[in-house]
Amino acid sequence: PRSVSPAADPAVISPQDPTLLIGSSLVATCTVSPDFPLKAEDLYWTLNGRRLPAASYAALGPSTLSVALARLNGSRQQSGDNLVCHSRDGGILAGSCLYVGLPPEKPVNITCWSKNMKDLTCKWAPGTEGETFLHTNYTLKYKRRWYGQDNTCQEYHTAGTYSCHIPKDLALFTPYEIWVEASNRLGVAVSDVVMLDILDVVTTDPPSDVHVSRVGDLEDQLSVRWSSPPALKDFLFQAKYQIQYRVEDSSEWKVVDDVGNQTSCRLAGLRPGTVYFVQVRCNPFSIYGSKKAGIWSDWSNPTAASTPRSERVAGGCDPKVGEQNTTLRRELKQFFGWVKKHAYGCSNLGIKLYDQWRVWLQKSHKTRNQVGKEP
């Protein structure tokens, strides 16, 4: 059978798909194929669908029309701006993509963390400006210091736009060199090299099973308990915890810093009859004796609980009852002032002292009531 040659393109644009720096100028030409009976005066140009003014055209021959573009702005789309040559009836004869932008900037602020001492996730920022107007590709590379070969991270966008996850095959007790390469049609930029040991960047998932409950009828306290992170149970490490809590109708969190390595804590000095949201986070440190401070986990999901309502003394015409209640409140206020000054956060000493003080207060309160009932 006779082979059929493909139909010739109606026209050719030159240059085809050029890459240009912002601010550049360009003269492009559209030359119609001899197979098509079209002349230069039968043509016009559009850029991204908008017709370009005839004053920017010049006929460079019977079937060639040029267009001059000055001081180009960055491409509106990363796939390039569409420069199209049309016939008088609007038909498309040929197209070219203009890639107008900037070379990439050196990536900065590389930070990395490991969730299980076998993996590593890193993120970075794309330089001071970031916007190049061109598709810019980022590649995270890593190698063992001194004797390693370059490796390329494969799993991108795992912790945001500029991030990558290395799932396995990392060695402990070995420093790694890590860097990011940015490349686009106008060039390549390489970040500074970060040096790290996996042991120094371990973090965990937030503590699980966070429970918040009332402490008997104490209207100003809540008990918080949680489980330590399971991912690190096989490794030698110390953990410290932080708690933050807020009132339901407030966005301001109060932080309890000195929880230490306990997995429970009592919050005191709370408002009676109020819903509180509580979160806990963990910092695993001194893993196999690492000297680094450790990285805080994210906060756990908020857990809610309410303190008991304040008991009102019912009925009775004896004004002394009201006075006693006011005195009790004043004494409580004084005690909390003292606790805030001398027994921070989850100090066991503070809680024991406080409980003893409450018991003493209730006893003396009962005694006073009985004395008041005698004729």
Side-chain angles (χ1 to χ4, degrees):
R2 192 166 53 85
S3 67
V4 180
S5 63
D9 290 332
V12 172
I13 289 180
S14 178
Q16 185 67 42
D17 303 345
T19 301
L20 303 153
L21 273 168
I22 288 175
S24 299
S25 297
L26 173 74
V27 174
T29 60
C30 175
T31 303
V32 181
S33 160
D35 299 351
F36 289 82
L38 289 169
K39 299 295 170 211
E41 60 265 27
D42 299 325
L43 312 178
Y44 70 90
W45 292 90
T46 62
L47 181 62
N48 289 334
R50 291 184 65 179
R51 192 160 179 158
L52 294 169
S56 61
Y57 302 167
L60 300 184
S63 55
T64 298
L65 184 71
S66 73
V67 64
L69 301 169
R71 293 185 299 283
L72 288 162
N73 292 323
S75 295
R76 290 193 192 169
Q77 50 220 17
Q78 291 195 338
S79 56
D81 287 341
N82 299 314
L83 181 65
V84 178
C85 174
H86 299 261
S87 57
R88 184 180 286 161
D89 62 3
I92 293 173
L93 301 174
S96 176
C97 285
L98 305 188
Y99 297 96
V100 186
L102 298 167
E105 290 197 46
K106 174 175 146 177
V108 293
N109 299 344
I110 300 175
T111 54
C112 303
W113 62 93
S114 172
K115 280 283 179 73
N116 56 24
M117 296 178 50
K118 300 180 184 78
D119 74 334
L120 195 67
T121 301
C122 296
K123 63 180 183 178
W124 59 90
T128 49
E129 295 301 322
E131 182 55 81
T132 63
F133 299 96
L134 301 174
H135 175 69
T136 300
N137 197 47
Y138 291 91
T139 308
L140 181 86
K141 296 198 169 176
Y142 61 100
K143 68 168 191 168
R144 288 199 210 185
R145 195 178 177 192
W146 301 306
Y147 50 83
Q149 62 188 54
D150 289 11
N151 297 286
T152 302
C153 183
Q154 303 296 330
E155 297 179 16
Y156 289 87
H157 316 301
T158 52
T161 310
Y162 303 108
S163 66
C164 196
H165 177 238
I166 305 162
K168 57 180 194 297
D169 300 331
L170 292 166
L172 298 179
F173 309 105
T174 302
Y176 275 89
E177 292 179 8
I178 293 168
W179 67 98
V180 177
E181 294 177 3
S183 62
N184 68 17
R185 289 168 168 268
L186 283 168
V188 175
V190 182
S191 73
D192 292 338
V193 173
V194 169
M195 202 89 65
L196 62 82
D197 192 312
I198 308 298
L199 296 178
D200 296 337
V201 295
V202 177
T203 185
T204 67
D205 288 321
S208 55
D209 307 325
V210 177
H211 295 284
V212 184
S213 54
R214 293 179 177 184
V215 182
D217 293 330
L218 295 180
E219 62 202 30
D220 55 315
Q221 296 194 19
L222 289 171
S223 171
V224 188
R225 56 193 170 82
W226 58 90
S227 301
S228 59
L232 293 179
K233 66 178 187 296
D234 301 332
F235 300 103
L236 295 170
F237 74 102
Q238 292 171 273
K240 56 185 175 185
Y241 298 95
Q242 258 183 0
I243 293 176
Q244 66 174 9
Y245 64 97
R246 67 175 173 85
V247 178
E248 183 180 26
D249 55 7
S250 165
S251 58
E252 195 177 317
W253 294 91
K254 287 186 177 172
V255 176
V256 181
D257 250 330
D258 63 339
V259 184
N261 64 357
Q262 308 173 80
T263 53
S264 65
C265 172
R266 201 188 287 191
L267 304 176
L270 307 178
R271 279 196 235 156
T274 305
V275 174
Y276 281 88
F277 288 106
V278 181
Q279 293 178 295
V280 187
R281 66 178 183 170
C282 175
N283 182 334
F285 65 100
S286 189
I287 293 179
Y288 289 140
S290 162
K291 297 285 187 286
K292 290 288 169 76
I295 298 174
W296 285 103
S297 73
D298 292 333
W299 290 102
S300 63
N301 290 327
T303 304
S306 67
T307 48
R309 288 203 172 280
S310 174
E311 285 183 23
R312 304 269 173 218
V313 178
C317 296
D318 185 354
K320 285 180 190 164
V321 173
E323 283 166 22
Q324 284 166 5
N325 209 21
T326 310
T327 309
L328 181 65
R329 285 182 180 285
R330 191 168 62 246
E331 285 171 349
L332 271 172
K333 207 169 181 183
Q334 286 169 348
F335 179 77
F336 281 128
W338 185 87
V339 164
K340 276 181 185 165
K341 273 187 192 169
H342 302 286
Y344 305 106
C346 290
S347 159
N348 285 331
L349 174 69
I351 288 166
K352 280 176 189 163
L353 253 172
Y354 177 81
D355 288 348
Q356 287 166 10
W357 191 79
R358 289 294 289 260
V359 167
W360 172 81
L361 208 68
Q362 282 167 357
K363 274 184 186 166
S364 64
H365 194 52
K366 273 182 195 164
T367 312
R368 272 194 302 220
N369 279 351
Q370 283 164 0
V371 170
K373 282 176 191 169
E374 284 177 14

